[in-house]
Amino acid sequence: MTSDLATLKSRAERLRDLHTGDLLVLPNVWDAGSASVVAGAGFPAVATASAAVSAVLGLSDGEQAPWQEMFAAAGRIARAVDVPVTVDAEAGYGMAPRELVGRLLDVGAVGCNLEDTDHRQGGLADAGAQAQWLADVRAAAGEAGVPIVVNARVDTFLPASGLSGAERLTEAVRRGRMYLEAGADCVYPIGVRDREDIAALVAELPGPVNGNTGENVDLDTLRQIGVARVSYGPRFYRTALAQLKAAVEELRP
């Protein structure tokens, strides 16, 4: 285990507390260097982005990268900083709850994103089965003695869900409530772009909500709505690559 149990427990409790104060801003990272930049800038926690980590490995997101390599990257990130680290663990890589919790703690992570897309069958996972799985993850964390912070991603707004229009919001609220009741600490309705939809989710869900900034939704807007946490996925990784491309293009004769 990267850190001792007492340190991991303290960091998990700190990460949970960060969801109840001012908006928790998480500029997602992909390696030890980017993690050090974020922590060095004063952010109180570090979050990985599976799309960025898998891209560094030359592979696609959606559990296409071997979990061993994804967790190895998370371990390097956790060792590089002295703040809580939460890992984008995608849909859990088919692991049993105890194994997932154990591997997260082994690499020094105290939080995780867990999404309800079924990468093997396609579409959304059964909501009841997902809620039970989240409850089992919560129980496994309790047995391990570290209250891992679970950010339950709800994928109803993604095209692959097969939902459209108002049903996306209705189903997001239904699933979000189930996941919070199962023991999730935060609900992450990824892909929401409409301010009214975000406000409705914050109003309808009895727990913290993770949002994203977008063309018409900035950090101040999310704060006003009452969003607890905001993350950026692979956005900064892609920006870094774009800046690298521009810089090396200038070197061409």
Side-chain angles (χ1 to χ4, degrees):
M1 190 173 289
T2 299
S3 300
D4 64 82
L5 197 64
T7 298
L8 291 172
K9 182 178 180 181
S10 175
R11 289 181 179 178
E13 292 170 345
R14 172 59 177 154
L15 180 59
R16 179 172 287 104
D17 289 345
L18 288 169
H19 289 71
T20 60
D22 190 22
L23 178 64
L24 173 59
V25 179
L26 296 169
N28 299 76
V29 307
W30 55 93
D31 62 9
S34 56
S36 296
V37 168
V38 169
F43 289 90
V46 163
T48 72
S50 65
V53 175
S54 58
V56 169
L57 297 171
L59 297 165
S60 300
D61 196 19
E63 299 197 345
Q64 297 302 301
W67 67 262
Q68 295 90 337
E69 297 205 40
M70 299 295 283
F71 276 83
R76 291 189 291 271
I77 287 167
R79 289 191 295 273
V81 298
D82 292 320
V83 298
V85 171
T86 178
V87 171
D88 183 351
E90 304 189 72
Y93 306 105
M95 294 181 185
R98 286 183 179 177
E99 180 185 7
L100 176 64
V101 168
R103 294 194 183 281
L104 287 168
L105 296 178
D106 281 345
V107 299
V110 296
C112 61
N113 274 22
L114 294 171
E115 60 203 44
D116 63 0
T117 289
D118 186 331
H119 294 291
R120 290 158 182 79
Q121 301 297 323
L124 294 170
D126 176 79
Q130 181 72 4
Q132 183 58 58
W133 189 70
L134 292 171
D136 292 343
V137 170
R138 169 57 58 220
E143 292 173 5
V146 179
I148 286 176
V149 177
V150 177
N151 191 33
R153 211 179 82 176
V154 177
D155 292 355
T156 61
F157 283 84
L158 298 182
S161 73
L163 302 178
S164 61
E167 64 180 343
R168 298 178 302 178
L169 177 60
T170 300
E171 183 63 6
V173 171
R174 185 179 80 90
R175 286 173 175 260
R177 287 175 175 170
M178 292 175 67
Y179 300 165
L180 287 167
E181 185 176 348
D185 300 284
C186 185
V187 173
Y188 180 15
I190 191 172
V192 182
R193 296 289 180 263
D194 184 82
R195 174 175 177 159
E196 285 67 34
D197 284 343
I198 300 172
L201 287 161
V202 170
E204 294 291 334
L205 292 174
V209 173
N210 188 141
N212 299 119
T213 59
E215 185 176 346
N216 300 310
V217 182
D218 58 16
L219 286 177
D220 285 340
T221 299
L222 293 177
R223 282 192 179 93
Q224 292 167 9
I225 291 172
V227 167
R229 161 176 172 165
V230 60
S231 49
Y232 292 82
R235 192 179 310 181
F236 293 112
Y237 167 73
R238 292 169 180 166
T239 297
L241 280 189
Q243 292 175 341
L244 174 63
K245 183 177 185 296
V248 298
E249 287 288 345
E250 293 182 359
L251 302 179
R252 296 177 61 186

